[in-house]
Amino acid sequence: MDKSIEQFIMDIIDHGKDLTLATVRPDGYPQATTVSYANDGMDIYIGIGKDSQKADNLRRNNKVSLTINAPYKDWNEIKGLSISGTAEFLNDAKELQHAADCMIKRFPQLLEWTKSNQTSDMLLLKIRPQFLSVLDYRKGFGHTELLQV
């Protein structure tokens, strides 16, 4: 992958505030939900409720799509990512700790929440991108580039 494209991708992932996650419902329709996230490189971590519709969807089908957008003031500045990949429920203690550390680094308020034992109803996921569509309107209206990771 070209270094300038990789930097563009990492800038959006590193500085995005939230993402929209799409999972597949039992009826085959997509379900899109806004969630907070943290990352380590291109690996993306999210926390979801263990009894949520998202969790049920992912237990049946771990394929996901997500979008992350950079803030902009006019259309000529729109930049974002559309990512397709797979979600993995984390079970390994070392991986869980790493994901939690990434989340707490990005959202320090989670430390208090974890101390109050409110994490028993939460699952941590790791999303690994397989395809990225890079959106950059600075190169023209609707300009995208599709990349395989």
Side-chain angles (χ1 to χ4, degrees):
M1 181 181 311
D2 178 87
K3 288 289 181 194
S4 64
I5 293 284
E6 186 175 355
Q7 185 62 50
F8 180 92
I9 291 166
M10 291 313 307
D11 283 345
I12 291 175
I13 293 173
D14 287 343
H15 297 102
K17 297 296 182 196
D18 51 30
L19 60 81
T20 301
L21 178 70
T23 58
V24 182
R25 295 187 333 207
D27 60 9
Y29 283 97
Q31 175 181 334
T33 311
T34 301
V35 296
S36 297
Y37 72 95
N39 67 296
D40 182 6
M42 286 193 199
D43 289 335
I44 297 169
Y45 299 103
I46 64 169
I48 63 172
K50 73 176 183 181
D51 297 322
S52 67
Q53 183 66 51
K54 284 186 295 296
D56 289 344
N57 294 345
L58 290 167
R59 287 182 187 103
R60 279 187 302 282
N61 184 342
N62 73 335
K63 291 181 179 178
V64 298
S65 287
L66 63 92
T67 61
I68 304 172
N69 300 307
Y72 63 92
K73 293 181 182 180
D74 69 58
W75 281 5
N76 295 320
E77 298 175 358
I78 293 175
K79 297 183 291 185
L81 302 172
S82 177
I83 297 173
S84 300
T86 55
E88 168 190 354
F89 291 98
L90 297 181
N91 295 309
D92 177 76
K94 190 174 180 179
E95 283 190 292
L96 283 164
Q97 187 61 56
H98 179 69
D101 290 345
C102 289
M103 294 291 286
I104 290 167
K105 181 178 178 183
R106 187 157 190 176
F107 304 103
Q109 66 272 23
L110 284 175
L111 193 54
E112 287 303 314
W113 192 65
T114 59
K115 287 179 183 176
S116 64
N117 235 4
Q118 296 181 32
T119 58
S120 61
D121 292 334
M122 184 175 162
L123 298 170
L124 287 176
L125 302 176
K126 177 194 242 181
I127 298 172
R128 292 188 177 199
Q130 294 178 353
F131 294 94
L132 293 116
S133 181
V134 176
L135 180 67
D136 189 352
Y137 275 39
R138 297 172 307 168
K139 295 181 179 181
F141 180 80
H143 177 85
T144 60
E145 297 176 50
L146 183 62
L147 306 167
Q148 186 170 1
V149 179

